[in-house]
Amino acid sequence: MSVSERKEREKEQRRQEILRAAKTVFFRNGFEKTSMEMVAEECQLAKGTLYLYFKSKEELYLSLVEDGIRILDEMMEKTIAKPLRADEKLLALAQTYFRFTQSHNEHFTIFKMIDVGTLNGKVDQEKLDEIQRLRMAAFERMEEVVAEAIRQGAFQTTHKPREIVMMLWAATFGAIMMCADKCQQLDMFKEVHAEKFVMRIASALIESFRTANVQEEPLGRENERKRKTQKTVEETEPQKSF
Amino acid sequence: MSVSERKEREKEQRRQEILRAAKTVFFRNGFEKTSMEMVAEECQLAKGTLYLYFKSKEELYLSLVEDGIRILDEMMEKTIAKPLRADEKLLALAQTYFRFTQSHNEHFTIFKMIDVGTLNGKVDQEKLDEIQRLRMAAFERMEEVVAEAIRQGAFQTTHKPREIVMMLWAATFGAIMMCADKCQQLDMFKEVHAEKFVMRIASALIESFRTANVQEEPLGRENERKRKTQKTVEETEPQKSF
Amino acid sequence: MSVSERKEREKEQRRQEILRAAKTVFFRNGFEKTSMEMVAEECQLAKGTLYLYFKSKEELYLSLVEDGIRILDEMMEKTIAKPLRADEKLLALAQTYFRFTQSHNEHFTIFKMIDVGTLNGKVDQEKLDEIQRLRMAAFERMEEVVAEAIRQGAFQTTHKPREIVMMLWAATFGAIMMCADKCQQLDMFKEVHAEKFVMRIASALIESFRTANVQEEPLGRENERKRKTQKTVEETEPQKSF
Amino acid sequence: MSVSERKEREKEQRRQEILRAAKTVFFRNGFEKTSMEMVAEECQLAKGTLYLYFKSKEELYLSLVEDGIRILDEMMEKTIAKPLRADEKLLALAQTYFRFTQSHNEHFTIFKMIDVGTLNGKVDQEKLDEIQRLRMAAFERMEEVVAEAIRQGAFQTTHKPREIVMMLWAATFGAIMMCADKCQQLDMFKEVHAEKFVMRIASALIESFRTANVQEEPLGRENERKRKTQKTVEETEPQKSF
DNA sequence: TATGAATGAGAATTCATTCAT
DNA sequence: AATGAATGAATTCTCATTCAT
């Protein structure tokens, strides 16, 4: 037993070492400009060995994405566990997302490299599903927090919890992207204090949930077809309010 | 004259035809996974012909980006020209951005695919500068609108106009990204009415600018170093408010 | 008549202009690295036009070679016409060859670019023959000079005139090549006075023809087969004299 | 050890096999007209494999040149080691050069095909330097032989040893070139016994070194500028003697 | 006659993946 | 399990030549 256990452990270590190397070089060069040869060199293994641990370059990439998501997930879990009010937690979660992109810049940069969708057919569907599941789980946890905030009366909004999470997530993501290096970053964004910037957007949104907006209506697209036909002002002219 | 004019026009048409084909296939496969061969096939020309109109694959790609930015720029200009109040214009601009991403989905998708690093040294710096200039110009126009809103007393915020534009832009971008097809889109986003979603986020932000937030401080990073040393709660713990 | 004459003249001028342009760019870039496009640009004509005057890139090249040979031929003719003793003329001819390579460096460099033999099948055999004929003619004229030198008693050698010309030509050619730029020139040759160097070699050889060398035997290979079989020392060991 | 040794040996053999194939096809077609595909076919390997052994087509070519020079160098070394008088050795060296061009015709032909410009920037400067060094070394060894001949009183010439080597080398090279197959060889040269021809020229030159030529002056170009200005007869008119 | 747009057959090189050892 | 040599399809780009105008 002890022998096979050690072997198992060593195998896992090797796998981790490959992932580390891949993270380094993918981050440095991007997905397409990184060759398996480069990964092999970085971790001092032979090219062929990589294929004992990962079925393809795509699968290696996807494993990194998975790792990154797990890390983010754990960070968010810890934040949720903190003794804060529900509405405070939401802001803290935005901060957590931002801090993840800073402390795990490689992982975040790697996320952005390719659309996971492109990998369809090149990797186990199973693995893609697992990632989708992980991301959903994070969302659901956040929904819980929002639901609590509503129960506690912190939010008066008529939006559903899920919608609130989506809005918060989207805005936070946009803020982070704009500040991220390695993007087609506009000069002006180089000068802002990234964390403050992200937090300001997130808290502005959260603030807006505290007071009910009477014009709020569901964000769903159920009645979309009908609307299309009647061509309301709303679709052709800017909406002046909600 | 007439002959050379016609030739000129035909040449421009051919160029446009290549751009159309390129847009189609770059949109479908992304930059790296698209070969010049594929573009050539799409527009029924020989591979070599493409090089009569574009110096390299990178330049062809960048021309698409440039076109897209010009289109967006024009759309935004028209919105700004509308007889609306300044604060209404800001919302209308967010909508314009969104509508651009819908009606010119290929262009928008192509924006996102760009990895600036790939283009370095392969494209005229001139062209890159021109694009940067266009993007800056759009921002500056939006700043004007914000400045007007402040002058009109619609916004009480102490933020500088530029900061407001950045926040609005970032949030809108994030919202659009989350709803965009080709992203690692989460299932839940498939179910929202994209335009409403984007507009809701934008208007929530705009709303927050109407009332001064007393805790507001500049977003710049000037005093970053000092802060680093004194390690305030703000940097290690989630901020509870602004 | 006058009209067709003018046309004829213009056509010839155009041809010359193309040749001039080709000479310039072939010299600058070499045969392979020169494209017809470059030639066209240099002479401000369209690519297609070049093919009205020259059947192919190879034929254009060969025409340059032909021109060069004609120039050299004329220069040699003038030298031969000078009122010098026959043996002096031979030295003068070596000098003429050298001076041709200096004053018509482009032509000479172009000579060396490709083996004329490689053009077989890519150009009119006729043209190849014409070039061969021109080169032979030059040789025959030199033979005449040598024959005269022998008749005048300047040379005591038992070599046939043709052999003497060949030796002189070969040595002169070698000397010029060694001093030529654009070759894989050894450093040391950069420091010699090229003309003196060439002339010294030529005159050393000419000097050697003044006195009969008793061991001289014909340079022909008639009896080669026989020799091969008997394997003399001469073939395996260095010959100590002739 | 034995395993890795065998692998090492096999790898070297493969390298040699590629070099052999490359020699064959480069010899047949020249550098530009040979494609890596052709080399690959000749040695029954895949195109990509060539790049495991040679960084580029240029490097493969240069390796052949290097090999050739090494072979010639060894042959010359053996000749120099022979128990001959210094002046006899010089003749023997010319013969050695000639014999190299016969027994290693491919290598010699490949020498001539090289257009150094093509290799610039595509090959390790180191390798180019090594080749330059090898060629210089050969020259220096020959200089030694000449210096000895002078010490032994065989040569009365006032030329410096280096100049003598250069003259001998240039003339021998010219003679060999004229007889070489793949050149724009004149018909008449097909009929001479190449070795005799080469040797005759070399020995004529060597003979001329035995007796001092009173008019000898240094071949250097130190005082070139002065001469340019005073425009002596020597520069415009053929020199009648030395 | 002159043009120059279009062609399409290559060229060099890269690299994910396989497989014999 | 680990290796790394070998593969060969794919990619970008070039250019001599043709041909409709």
Side-chain angles (χ1 to χ4, degrees):
Chain A
M1 277 307 176
S2 156
V3 169
S4 76
E5 259 174 34
R6 182 171 49 78
K7 284 215 167 175
E8 204 57 40
R9 210 176 331 117
E10 274 174 6
K11 191 162 177 179
E12 181 53 24
Q13 274 170 17
R14 194 80 92 177
R15 206 188 116 95
Q16 288 305 323
E17 174 56 15
I18 293 172
L19 282 169
R20 185 206 58 75
K23 187 174 66 178
T24 305
V25 291
F26 277 138
F27 173 69
R28 199 156 50 216
N29 316 306
F31 180 76
E32 305 286 350
K33 289 244 173 70
T34 295
S35 68
M36 291 299 264
E37 179 64 45
M38 289 158 94
V39 177
E41 228 162 67
E42 175 71 28
C43 61
Q44 308 268 47
L45 286 172
K47 234 186 318 183
T49 309
L50 305 188
Y51 287 87
L52 297 177
Y53 293 86
F54 300 92
K55 275 216 287 274
S56 67
K57 189 185 174 188
E58 279 80 12
E59 183 129 339
L60 175 53
Y61 172 82
L62 198 60
S63 297
L64 280 175
V65 172
E66 194 182 342
D67 275 10
I69 289 180
R70 275 185 210 286
I71 292 168
L72 174 55
D73 202 47
E74 272 172 37
M75 287 174 73
M76 289 178 68
E77 224 175 331
K78 275 189 198 151
T79 300
I80 287 176
K82 285 192 176 166
L84 295 170
R85 286 205 323 272
D87 57 332
E88 286 170 342
K89 269 188 200 169
L90 280 183
L91 189 55
L93 283 167
Q95 191 183 41
T96 298
Y97 188 16
F98 170 77
R99 288 187 178 175
F100 164 76
T101 67
Q102 299 303 105
S103 61
H104 292 78
N105 190 8
E106 289 108 328
H107 275 123
F108 182 62
T109 302
I110 286 167
F111 280 3
K112 295 179 298 186
M113 274 170 193
I114 50 179
D115 285 348
V116 175
T118 340
L119 302 178
N120 270 329
K122 296 223 172 193
V123 285
D124 281 355
Q125 186 57 39
E126 214 179 311
K127 202 155 192 173
L128 280 173
D129 292 346
E130 169 68 3
I131 285 179
Q132 197 60 263
R133 204 190 54 69
L134 275 168
R135 298 175 70 196
M136 287 299 279
F139 258 76
E140 276 154 16
R141 261 201 294 276
M142 287 178 75
E143 269 177 65
E144 264 309 297
V145 177
V146 171
E148 208 186 320
I150 291 172
R151 279 197 302 276
Q152 293 172 348
F155 290 173
Q156 300 294 326
T157 180
T158 58
H159 279 311
K160 279 182 263 172
R162 166 157 299 188
E163 286 168 359
I164 291 181
V165 174
M166 284 160 69
M167 288 171 74
L168 196 56
W169 192 258
T172 308
F173 172 77
I176 290 170
M177 283 294 282
M178 283 294 154
C179 298
D181 289 338
K182 291 229 181 185
C183 276
Q184 64 280 56
Q185 195 195 30
L186 279 162
D187 284 338
M188 55 189 67
F189 282 96
K190 285 180 191 146
E191 276 151 42
V192 303
H193 184 289
E195 182 161 1
K196 275 193 217 162
F197 181 72
V198 172
M199 298 302 281
R200 189 91 68 193
I201 287 180
S203 56
L205 262 187
I206 288 172
E207 211 51 52
S208 83
F209 299 137
R210 295 196 195 282
T211 54
N213 186 324
V214 286
Q215 289 131 324
E216 270 172 19
E217 43 166 332
L219 285 168
R221 53 201 314 187
E222 313 84 22
N223 38 13
E224 203 171 354
R225 202 127 357 126
K226 189 178 61 201
R227 289 164 167 282
K228 277 270 165 67
T229 55
Q230 62 180 84
K231 187 101 168 169
T232 63
V233 170
E234 192 196 11
E235 315 240 347
T236 56
E237 287 294 315
Q239 294 171 293
K240 297 185 186 172
S241 66
F242 270 78
Chain B
M1 272 308 176
S2 160
V3 169
S4 76
E5 260 175 32
R6 183 168 48 78
K7 286 215 165 177
E8 205 57 42
R9 212 174 330 118
E10 273 172 9
K11 197 164 175 179
E12 181 53 25
Q13 272 169 19
R14 191 75 92 182
R15 205 188 119 96
Q16 290 305 324
E17 172 58 16
I18 293 172
L19 281 169
R20 186 207 56 74
K23 190 172 65 178
T24 305
V25 292
F26 277 135
F27 170 68
R28 201 157 49 217
N29 317 304
F31 179 77
E32 307 283 357
K33 294 235 169 63
T34 296
S35 70
M36 289 301 261
E37 180 64 45
M38 289 159 89
V39 178
E41 230 161 68
E42 174 70 28
C43 59
Q44 306 270 50
L45 286 172
K47 231 181 327 175
T49 309
L50 305 188
Y51 288 90
L52 296 177
Y53 292 86
F54 299 94
K55 275 214 291 275
S56 66
K57 185 185 170 187
E58 283 80 9
E59 179 140 334
L60 173 55
Y61 189 83
L62 197 59
S63 295
L64 280 177
V65 172
E66 195 182 343
D67 276 11
I69 289 181
R70 276 185 209 285
I71 292 169
L72 174 56
D73 201 48
E74 273 171 37
M75 288 174 71
M76 289 178 69
E77 224 175 332
K78 275 188 199 150
T79 299
I80 287 177
K82 285 192 178 167
L84 295 169
R85 287 204 323 272
D87 57 330
E88 285 170 344
K89 269 187 200 171
L90 279 182
L91 189 56
L93 282 167
Q95 191 184 40
T96 299
Y97 189 15
F98 170 77
R99 288 187 177 175
F100 165 75
T101 67
Q102 297 304 105
S103 60
H104 294 79
N105 191 5
E106 290 105 330
H107 275 124
F108 181 62
T109 303
I110 284 166
F111 280 6
K112 296 179 306 190
M113 283 166 175
I114 208 175
D115 173 6
V116 181
T118 315
L119 303 181
N120 261 344
K122 299 228 182 182
V123 197
D124 283 353
Q125 186 59 38
E126 216 180 309
K127 204 156 189 174
L128 281 173
D129 291 346
E130 169 67 4
I131 285 179
Q132 198 61 258
R133 203 189 54 70
L134 275 169
R135 299 177 70 195
M136 286 299 279
F139 257 78
E140 276 154 17
R141 259 201 295 275
M142 288 178 74
E143 268 178 68
E144 263 308 296
V145 177
V146 171
E148 207 188 318
I150 292 172
R151 279 197 302 273
Q152 293 173 347
F155 289 174
Q156 299 293 327
T157 180
T158 58
H159 278 310
K160 279 182 266 173
R162 165 157 299 188
E163 284 169 1
I164 290 181
V165 175
M166 283 160 70
M167 288 170 76
L168 197 56
W169 192 259
T172 307
F173 173 77
I176 289 170
M177 283 294 282
M178 281 296 154
C179 297
D181 281 336
K182 287 256 177 164
C183 275
Q184 324 85 313
Q185 193 196 29
L186 281 161
D187 284 339
M188 56 187 69
F189 282 98
K190 286 181 192 148
E191 278 150 41
V192 302
H193 183 289
E195 182 160 1
K196 276 193 219 161
F197 181 72
V198 172
M199 298 302 281
R200 189 91 71 194
I201 288 180
S203 55
L205 262 188
I206 289 172
E207 212 49 54
S208 82
F209 298 136
R210 295 196 196 281
T211 54
N213 186 324
V214 287
Q215 290 132 326
E216 270 173 20
E217 44 167 332
L219 286 168
R221 52 202 311 186
E222 312 85 24
N223 38 16
E224 204 169 356
R225 199 128 358 127
K226 190 178 62 200
R227 289 165 165 282
K228 276 269 165 65
T229 56
Q230 62 180 83
K231 186 99 168 172
T232 63
V233 170
E234 192 198 11
E235 316 239 349
T236 56
E237 286 296 316
Q239 292 170 296
K240 296 187 187 172
S241 65
F242 269 78
Chain C
M1 275 308 175
S2 157
V3 169
S4 76
E5 260 175 30
R6 184 172 46 80
K7 284 214 168 177
E8 203 58 40
R9 210 175 332 116
E10 274 174 6
K11 190 163 176 176
E12 180 55 24
Q13 272 171 17
R14 193 82 92 178
R15 206 188 116 95
Q16 288 305 322
E17 175 55 16
I18 294 172
L19 282 168
R20 186 207 57 75
K23 186 175 68 178
T24 304
V25 290
F26 277 138
F27 173 69
R28 199 157 50 215
N29 315 307
F31 180 75
E32 305 285 350
K33 289 244 172 69
T34 295
S35 68
M36 290 300 263
E37 179 64 45
M38 290 159 93
V39 178
E41 228 162 69
E42 175 72 27
C43 60
Q44 307 269 50
L45 287 173
K47 234 187 316 184
T49 310
L50 305 188
Y51 286 87
L52 296 178
Y53 293 87
F54 300 93
K55 275 216 288 272
S56 67
K57 188 183 172 188
E58 279 80 10
E59 184 129 338
L60 175 54
Y61 172 82
L62 198 60
S63 297
L64 280 175
V65 171
E66 193 182 343
D67 275 12
I69 289 180
R70 274 185 211 286
I71 292 169
L72 173 56
D73 201 47
E74 271 172 38
M75 287 174 72
M76 289 179 69
E77 224 175 330
K78 275 189 197 149
T79 301
I80 286 176
K82 284 191 178 166
L84 294 169
R85 284 204 324 272
D87 58 332
E88 284 170 343
K89 270 188 199 168
L90 278 183
L91 189 54
L93 282 167
Q95 192 184 39
T96 298
Y97 188 17
F98 170 77
R99 288 187 177 175
F100 164 75
T101 68
Q102 299 303 105
S103 60
H104 293 78
N105 193 6
E106 289 109 329
H107 275 123
F108 182 61
T109 303
I110 286 168
F111 280 2
K112 295 179 297 186
M113 275 170 192
I114 52 179
D115 286 349
V116 175
T118 338
L119 302 180
N120 270 330
K122 296 221 171 194
V123 284
D124 282 354
Q125 187 56 38
E126 214 179 311
K127 201 153 192 173
L128 279 173
D129 291 346
E130 169 67 3
I131 285 178
Q132 196 62 263
R133 204 191 52 71
L134 274 168
R135 298 176 71 195
M136 287 298 280
F139 258 76
E140 275 155 16
R141 261 201 294 276
M142 287 179 75
E143 270 178 65
E144 263 308 298
V145 177
V146 171
E148 206 187 321
I150 291 172
R151 280 196 302 276
Q152 293 172 347
F155 290 173
Q156 300 295 325
T157 180
T158 58
H159 279 309
K160 279 182 266 172
R162 165 157 300 188
E163 286 169 359
I164 290 180
V165 174
M166 284 159 68
M167 289 170 75
L168 196 55
W169 192 258
T172 307
F173 172 77
I176 290 170
M177 283 294 282
M178 283 294 154
C179 296
D181 290 338
K182 292 229 180 186
C183 276
Q184 65 280 55
Q185 193 195 31
L186 279 161
D187 284 338
M188 56 189 67
F189 282 97
K190 286 181 192 145
E191 277 151 40
V192 302
H193 184 289
E195 182 160 3
K196 276 195 216 163
F197 182 72
V198 171
M199 298 302 282
R200 189 89 71 195
I201 288 181
S203 58
L205 262 187
I206 288 171
E207 212 51 52
S208 83
F209 300 137
R210 296 197 195 281
T211 54
N213 187 324
V214 287
Q215 288 131 324
E216 271 173 20
E217 43 166 332
L219 285 168
R221 54 202 310 186
E222 311 86 22
N223 38 15
E224 203 171 357
R225 198 119 7 116
K226 189 176 64 198
R227 286 164 169 282
K228 276 270 165 65
T229 56
Q230 62 180 82
K231 184 101 169 172
T232 63
V233 169
E234 192 197 11
E235 316 239 350
T236 56
E237 286 294 316
Q239 293 171 293
K240 295 184 187 173
S241 66
F242 270 78
Chain D
M1 274 308 175
S2 160
V3 170
S4 76
E5 261 174 31
R6 184 169 47 78
K7 284 215 167 179
E8 205 58 40
R9 213 174 328 117
E10 273 172 8
K11 196 164 175 179
E12 181 54 25
Q13 273 170 19
R14 191 75 91 181
R15 206 188 117 96
Q16 290 305 324
E17 172 58 14
I18 292 172
L19 282 169
R20 185 207 56 73
K23 190 172 66 179
T24 305
V25 291
F26 278 134
F27 169 68
R28 201 156 50 214
N29 316 306
F31 179 76
E32 306 282 357
K33 295 234 170 66
T34 296
S35 70
M36 289 301 260
E37 180 64 45
M38 289 158 90
V39 177
E41 229 161 69
E42 174 71 28
C43 60
Q44 306 270 51
L45 285 171
K47 234 181 322 176
T49 308
L50 305 188
Y51 288 88
L52 296 177
Y53 293 86
F54 300 93
K55 274 213 290 275
S56 65
K57 186 185 171 188
E58 282 80 9
E59 179 139 335
L60 173 54
Y61 189 84
L62 198 60
S63 296
L64 280 176
V65 172
E66 194 182 345
D67 276 11
I69 290 181
R70 275 185 210 287
I71 292 168
L72 173 56
D73 200 48
E74 272 170 39
M75 286 174 72
M76 289 179 67
E77 222 174 333
K78 275 190 198 147
T79 300
I80 286 176
K82 285 192 177 165
L84 295 169
R85 285 202 324 271
D87 57 331
E88 286 170 344
K89 269 187 200 171
L90 279 183
L91 189 55
L93 282 167
Q95 190 183 42
T96 298
Y97 189 16
F98 171 77
R99 289 188 177 176
F100 164 76
T101 67
Q102 299 303 106
S103 60
H104 294 79
N105 191 5
E106 289 105 329
H107 275 125
F108 180 62
T109 303
I110 284 167
F111 280 6
K112 295 179 305 189
M113 284 168 176
I114 208 174
D115 172 6
V116 180
T118 315
L119 304 181
N120 260 344
K122 299 228 181 184
V123 199
D124 283 354
Q125 186 57 40
E126 217 179 310
K127 203 156 190 174
L128 281 173
D129 291 346
E130 169 68 4
I131 285 179
Q132 198 60 261
R133 203 190 54 71
L134 275 169
R135 299 176 70 195
M136 286 299 280
F139 257 78
E140 275 154 16
R141 260 202 294 276
M142 287 178 74
E143 267 178 68
E144 262 310 295
V145 177
V146 171
E148 208 187 318
I150 292 172
R151 279 196 301 274
Q152 292 173 350
F155 289 172
Q156 300 294 327
T157 179
T158 58
H159 279 311
K160 279 181 266 173
R162 166 155 299 188
E163 286 170 359
I164 290 181
V165 174
M166 283 161 70
M167 289 170 75
L168 197 54
W169 191 258
T172 308
F173 172 78
I176 290 170
M177 282 293 282
M178 283 294 156
C179 298
D181 280 338
K182 287 255 178 168
C183 276
Q184 324 86 313
Q185 194 196 28
L186 281 161
D187 285 338
M188 58 187 66
F189 282 97
K190 287 182 190 144
E191 276 149 41
V192 302
H193 183 288
E195 182 159 3
K196 275 195 217 160
F197 181 73
V198 172
M199 298 301 281
R200 190 90 69 193
I201 289 180
S203 56
L205 261 188
I206 290 172
E207 210 51 51
S208 83
F209 299 136
R210 296 198 196 282
T211 54
N213 185 325
V214 286
Q215 290 131 323
E216 270 172 19
E217 43 167 331
L219 286 169
R221 53 201 312 187
E222 312 85 22
N223 36 16
E224 203 170 356
R225 201 132 352 130
K226 191 178 61 200
R227 291 165 164 281
K228 277 268 165 66
T229 57
Q230 61 180 81
K231 186 101 166 171
T232 63
V233 171
E234 192 197 12
E235 315 240 348
T236 55
E237 286 294 316
Q239 293 171 295
K240 296 185 188 173
S241 66
F242 271 79

